[in-house]
């Protein structure tokens, strides 16, 4: 990809990300907000792809656009949507939140300082092939322990949910 | 970094035994409705894991999985300790399963079905096994990644174990508090690991240590921040000040065996991890570490002692006791020498057994054992149980010839040798405060008239566990050198 196409792609992805993020917080209907968030996630995944972080892009799509968004939608279904849509979109504290957001953006602009003590990054860090071979090669043991952590979490969720059923 | 070798799996034998038993329990969960079966299986697995740990050591120390875990005297010592704590806690859980009297203020079950306590023995024991597996990984870890995952496995199971009790409304609240604070501490730990990786490009202890030695001490600012964050994350796991706030609530809300498990095995694993991080990975920054640890230790001892004075709930009292004891155990690491680490290992070993003993008596007394007033006149009703409690309390205070004296003696000796005289004086003064706290219970047991009917007799399992704990407490006090061949610093 030539430099110019890459730049054009970046500005497209970045501007659509910002626009969909703005739309997500300003829409009255929470379902519409969710759909804009989906657009945001997909475009951010595109930015990761431009940076050659394929693994992060895949995780962004699978975990955020897939799992977390569905999770949000489930929560939304428990709400009273018409009442939610009728009320004002922002609480009284929105200027405070906006100021905090702008402050954070300014901080991002300032954060170009070089960290003096950091070790140099490895060559092909973050490529899909690299992550795959590492996960089943040198990092097989941590990978397996992580699976035990997930197993414990699943068993725990079942146990706690069953406990509620016994109580009620 | 070399890839893993299938032969390396043999190094994980104790962990594999525990994981396979846990998986078997989960698979057969519907068939296991009686606690004794699950408990027997768990105790067998724990004993097998302890034997396997000791047997592995006979082949000398080895590292495996590309230098991520190690099998050495230090790790195997803690694995045997964790397995023993698991076995004793499992034995103690057998009684806790019996229906206790409902608390009339908060809970009034209409249907006997709704009041079935702890209906899922298989899952309960599987979670205990998985938690112990995580702790063993943490003890064996020579890589920050394994350390984090091991501790995370252990704490995740602990959150669930705290919230598993059906008959207590406080259990829920305790589990959520513990979960929120625990997640925060895990984030600190992870941030520390990320900074260490960012500064050195490695997560294994040896590489971090060599990155330190290539520069002068104190010059590596990112690594100093990493040390602080790692120390904070690990201090939470052992419930040291200022990360102790979760402990009293979690112990009070959890069922008593789970509280005993958190106070012993969990603390041993946290100290094992902290010891290796301090002595191997960050050994070059001994001066910074020593002042951080001295602060944590001193404040834990002071805060634990002062807060314990006003407690009326036995489990909260034991929680503050565990906070202060975490401080005493940390004293050994303050000196940063192998002798200091060995003192801490001795301390933790003896502490685990005497604390399990004290929790065991609380369990044996059932509902009555949870408040201090329940101990009034116990000596007249149950002289044997009262004598056992007295033994454990004397040991926790540190009065010779019990194991507690040996334990306190070695750690205080190690900081005197390291030149921290003020800390040593503080440790001794707070022991006096603790004598007052613990002996208050003894006075209630021996000098008051009984207020409540005598507690019923309990299962053989609980008495077995109490006998083991009492035996170690006495032997550790009379033969203080008996542990010396086993404690070897990393």
């Amino acid at each position: 990809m030539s430099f110019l196409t890459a730049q054009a792609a970046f500005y497209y992805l970045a501007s659509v990300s910002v626009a969909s993020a703005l739309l997500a917080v300003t829409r009255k209907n929470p379902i519409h907000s969710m759909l804009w968030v989906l657009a945001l996630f997909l475009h951010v995944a595109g930015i990761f792809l431009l940076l050659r972080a394929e693994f992060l892009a895949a995780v962004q799509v699978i975990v955020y656009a897939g799992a977390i968004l569905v999770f949000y939608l489930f929560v939304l279904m428990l709400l009273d949507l018409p009442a939610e849509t009728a009320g004002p979109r922002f609480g009284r504290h929105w200027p405070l939140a906006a100021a905090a957001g702008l402050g954070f953006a300014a901080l991002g602009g300032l954060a170009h300082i070089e960290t003096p003590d950091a070790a140099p990054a490895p060559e092909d860090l973050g490529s899909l092939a690299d992550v795959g071979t590492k996960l089943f090669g040198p990092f097989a043991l941590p990978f397996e322990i992580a699976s035990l952590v997930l197993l414990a979490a699943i068993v725990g969720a079942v146990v706690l949910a069953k406990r509620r059923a016994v109580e009620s | 970094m070399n890839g893993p070798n299938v032969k390396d799996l043999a190094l994980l034998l104790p962990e594999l035994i525990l994981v396979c038993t846990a998986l078997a329990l989960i698979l057969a969960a519907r068939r296991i409705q009686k606690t004794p079966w699950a408990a027997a299986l768990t105790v067998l697995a724990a004993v097998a894991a302890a034997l396997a740990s000791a047997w592995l050591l006979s082949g000398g120390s080895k590292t495996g999985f590309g230098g991520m875990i190690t099998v050495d005297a230090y790790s195997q010592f803690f694995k045997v300790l964790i397995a023993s704590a698991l076995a004793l806690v499992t034995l103690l859980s057998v009684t806790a399963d019996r229906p206790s009297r409902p608390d009339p203020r908060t809970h009034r079950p209409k249907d006997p079905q709704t009041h079935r306590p702890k209906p899922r023995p298989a899952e309960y024991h599987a979670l205990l096994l998985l938690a112990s597996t995580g702790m063993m990984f943490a003890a064996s870890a020579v890589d920050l990644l394994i350390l984090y995952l091991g501790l995370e496995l252990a704490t995740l199971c602990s959150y669930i174990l705290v919230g598993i009790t059906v008959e207590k409304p406080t259990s829920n609240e305790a589990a959520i508090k513990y979960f929120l604070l625990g997640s925060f501490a895990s984030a600190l730990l992870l941030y520390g690991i990320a900074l260490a990786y960012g500064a050195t490009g490695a997560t294994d202890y040896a590489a971090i240590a060599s990155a330190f030695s290539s520069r002068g001490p104190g010059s590596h600012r990112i690594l100093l921040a990493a040390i602080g964050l790692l120390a904070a994350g690990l201090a939470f796991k052992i419930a040291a000040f200022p990360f102790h706030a979760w402990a009293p609530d979690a112990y009070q809300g959890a069922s008593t065996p789970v509280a005993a498990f958190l106070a012993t095995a969990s603390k041993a694993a946290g100290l094992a991890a902290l010891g290796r991080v301090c002595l191997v990975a960050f050994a070059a920054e001994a001066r910074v570490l020593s002042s951080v640890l001295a602060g944590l230790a001193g404040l834990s001892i002071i805060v634990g002692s002062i807060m314990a004075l006003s407690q009326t709930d036995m489990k909260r009292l034991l929680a503050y006791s565990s906070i202060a004891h975490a401080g005493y155990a940390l004293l050994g690491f303050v000196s940063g020498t192998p002798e200091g680490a060995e003192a801490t290992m001795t301390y933790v070993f003896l502490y685990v057994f005497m604390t399990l003993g004290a929790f065991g008596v609380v369990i044996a007394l059932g509902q009555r054992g949870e408040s201090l007033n329940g101990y009034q006149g116990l000596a007249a009703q149950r002289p044997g149980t009262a004598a056992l409690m007295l033994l454990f309390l004397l040991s926790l205070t540190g009065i010779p010839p019990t194991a507690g004296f040996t334990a306190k003696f070695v750690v205080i000796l190690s900081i005197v040798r390291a030149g921290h005289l003020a800390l040593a004086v503080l440790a001794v003064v707070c022991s006096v405060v603790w004598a007052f706290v613990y002996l208050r219970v003894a006075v209630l047991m021996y000098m008051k008239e009984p207020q409540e009917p005598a507690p019923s007799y309990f299962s053989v399992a609980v008495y077995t566990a109490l006998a083991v704990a009492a035996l170690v407490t006495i032997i550790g006090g009379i033969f203080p050198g008996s542990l010396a061949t086993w404690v070897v610093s990393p």
Side-chain angles (χ1 to χ4, degrees):
Chain A
M1 208 188 306
S2 76
F3 181 69
L4 206 65
T5 23
Q7 269 211 327
F10 171 75
Y11 282 114
Y12 161 72
L13 291 168
S15 54
V16 176
S17 296
V18 172
S20 48
L22 282 175
L23 283 167
V25 291
T26 47
R27 290 308 87 191
K28 273 213 156 185
N29 189 332
I31 300 283
H32 293 175
S33 291
M34 281 291 93
L35 291 176
W36 284 115
V37 170
L38 177 65
L40 168 68
F41 284 158
L42 292 176
H43 283 87
V44 171
I47 296 179
F48 283 141
L49 267 186
L50 271 186
L51 292 169
R52 295 181 198 286
E54 298 110 339
F55 182 69
L56 266 187
V59 166
Q60 176 79 17
V61 171
I62 296 169
V63 176
Y64 281 87
I68 291 186
L69 204 77
V70 171
F71 176 65
Y72 279 154
L73 283 174
F74 271 126
V75 174
L76 280 184
M77 285 176 189
L78 301 176
L79 297 176
D80 180 13
L81 268 187
E84 202 62 32
T85 321
R89 186 68 181 86
F90 292 108
R92 272 187 300 122
H93 301 298
W94 75 268
L96 209 64
L102 283 178
F104 194 73
L107 211 60
L110 287 174
H112 279 303
I113 35 170
E114 287 285 310
T115 27
D117 300 332
E123 268 302 299
D124 51 351
L125 186 75
S127 81
L128 209 49
D130 184 45
V131 170
T133 30
K134 286 251 167 74
L135 216 50
F136 289 95
F139 290 95
L141 180 65
F143 187 59
E144 294 300 330
I145 302 178
S147 74
L148 282 182
V149 174
L150 290 179
L151 176 73
I154 294 168
V155 171
V158 171
V159 168
L160 293 181
K162 284 274 179 187
R163 187 196 65 158
R164 301 271 147 66
V166 171
E167 270 175 335
S168 56
Chain B
M1 200 186 278
N2 302 320
N5 192 324
V6 179
K7 280 186 209 149
D8 288 351
L9 277 178
L11 298 179
L12 294 179
L13 192 60
E15 287 90 344
L16 286 176
I17 292 172
L18 295 187
V19 169
C20 291
T21 316
L23 292 178
L25 279 172
I26 292 169
L27 282 177
R30 286 201 69 80
R31 299 195 174 276
I32 301 174
Q33 293 298 334
K34 289 211 172 72
T35 306
W37 284 107
L41 201 59
T42 311
V43 171
L44 274 182
V47 171
L51 291 177
S53 310
W55 174 75
L56 272 178
L57 189 60
S58 60
S61 18
K62 298 187 197 78
T63 56
F65 291 94
M68 283 192 173
I69 59 150
T70 179
V71 170
D72 58 4
Y74 182 78
S75 70
Q76 302 316 91
F77 175 85
F78 278 105
K79 282 186 192 176
V80 170
L81 183 57
I82 291 163
S84 327
L86 170 66
L88 292 186
V89 166
T90 313
L91 287 175
L92 292 176
S93 317
V94 176
T95 293
D97 202 43
R98 292 153 59 103
S100 53
R101 275 184 322 189
D103 191 343
R105 286 164 302 168
T106 49
H107 202 114
R108 202 175 290 277
K110 296 183 186 75
D111 174 4
Q113 274 294 312
T114 61
H115 192 58
R116 196 174 39 177
K118 206 183 292 158
R120 313 190 71 82
E123 283 90 342
Y124 171 77
H125 288 95
L127 286 169
L128 274 182
L129 284 162
L130 283 176
S132 311
T133 313
M135 293 168 189
M136 287 192 176
F137 273 121
S140 235
V142 277
D143 190 291
L144 291 174
L145 211 53
I146 303 284
L147 170 79
Y148 172 74
L149 284 168
L151 287 176
E152 197 61 3
L153 179 57
T155 28
L156 197 72
C157 294
S158 308
Y159 302 146
I160 303 158
L161 286 171
V162 167
I164 211 168
T165 325
V166 179
E167 72 261 46
K168 265 199 204 151
T170 47
S171 165
N172 227 341
E173 185 193 332
I176 287 179
K177 263 186 199 164
Y178 182 28
F179 172 68
L180 290 177
L181 289 171
S183 314
F184 181 65
S186 288
L188 288 183
L189 186 63
L190 204 53
Y191 195 25
I193 293 172
L195 284 183
Y197 177 72
T200 61
T203 51
D204 63 315
Y205 295 177
I208 292 172
S210 69
F212 263 120
S213 56
S214 63
R215 302 174 180 223
S219 63
H220 216 312
R221 275 176 298 159
I222 296 184
L223 273 179
L224 287 181
I227 290 179
L229 289 166
L230 276 168
L234 290 172
F236 175 87
K237 309 286 175 201
I238 60 169
F241 182 86
F243 306 96
H244 65 287
W246 60 275
D249 292 329
Y251 290 13
Q252 192 185 18
S255 68
T256 318
V258 172
F261 187 67
L262 289 182
T264 55
S266 190
K267 205 155 278 205
L271 283 165
L274 190 64
R276 210 189 277 278
V277 168
C278 292
L279 287 169
V280 180
F282 296 128
E285 289 290 349
R287 210 171 42 82
V288 179
L289 262 179
S290 157
S291 49
V292 170
L293 291 176
L296 286 179
L299 289 170
S300 301
I301 295 172
I302 297 174
V303 170
S305 313
I306 292 174
M307 298 295 284
L309 283 171
S310 59
Q311 299 305 318
T312 54
D313 182 295
M314 196 60 198
K315 275 152 80 180
R316 287 187 84 85
L317 181 81
L318 286 173
Y320 285 110
S321 150
S322 85
I323 292 166
H325 280 285
Y328 281 106
L330 280 175
L331 290 179
F333 289 144
V334 169
S335 64
T337 56
E339 292 76 34
E342 282 160 17
T344 296
M345 288 167 80
T346 311
Y347 193 93
V348 177
F349 188 90
L350 298 172
Y351 161 79
V352 162
F353 283 95
M354 58 203 190
T355 303
L356 278 176
F359 272 107
V361 174
V362 175
I363 291 164
L365 294 180
Q367 195 76 19
R368 183 177 162 179
E370 306 225 337
S371 84
L372 275 188
N373 287 333
Y375 290 83
Q376 288 182 5
L378 189 66
Q381 294 170 318
R382 291 268 176 276
T385 314
L388 272 177
M389 191 61 172
L390 185 66
L391 169 71
F392 296 128
L393 291 176
L394 287 178
S395 183
L396 284 168
T397 317
I399 290 173
T402 54
F405 175 71
T406 316
K408 280 202 173 135
F409 182 74
V410 290
V411 288
I412 291 177
L413 188 67
S414 88
I415 47 163
V416 169
R417 283 201 181 136
H420 292 273
L421 279 178
L423 258 185
V425 171
L426 174 78
V428 173
V429 168
C430 285
S431 290
V432 177
V433 177
W434 276 108
F436 172 73
V437 173
Y438 290 132
L439 294 181
R440 198 168 53 150
V441 183
V443 166
L444 283 177
M445 287 196 301
Y446 282 91
M447 299 186 179
K448 290 273 163 100
E449 291 302 311
Q451 303 283 323
E452 291 181 59
S456 54
Y457 285 102
F458 287 92
S459 64
V460 184
V462 172
Y463 282 116
T464 315
L466 282 175
V468 172
L471 201 67
V472 174
T473 308
I474 293 169
I475 291 179
I478 297 177
F479 305 107
S482 51
L483 271 175
T485 48
W486 301 101
V487 291
V488 179
S489 78

